[in-house]
Amino acid sequence: MRISIDTGRCIGSAQCAVAVPSVFEQDEDGFSTVIPGSQTADGEPPGLREAVRACPVQAITLTEAGEA
């Protein structure tokens, strides 16, 4: 599973960081980032899809392994 954040869309609401703090954090400017090393092939962290749905501007994208 690959997690990406469209930094041009992110408004820094932190809904993803609240939902899954093991995957998302806020950078020094207040925008969301994916924590390095949090993307593993071991499965999906609990709450990840809820974090994607909670983003008010749909800035988070999940891509399954093998997808372009």
Side-chain angles (χ1 to χ4, degrees):
M1 176 75 54
R2 177 167 159 65
I3 307 162
S4 59
I5 299 175
D6 182 341
T7 56
R9 291 189 104 171
C10 180
I11 60 170
S13 73
Q15 295 303 305
C16 56
V18 169
V20 190
S22 63
V23 175
F24 301 101
E25 64 184 0
Q26 301 299 109
D27 67 14
E28 61 275 356
D29 294 321
F31 296 106
S32 295
T33 61
V34 177
I35 296 171
S38 65
Q39 299 185 57
T40 66
D42 297 340
E44 187 176 302
L48 182 60
R49 292 188 189 268
E50 180 56 35
V52 172
R53 285 189 292 272
C55 180
V57 293
Q58 293 81 46
I60 306 168
T61 304
L62 301 180
T63 307
E64 299 293 333
E67 290 183 24

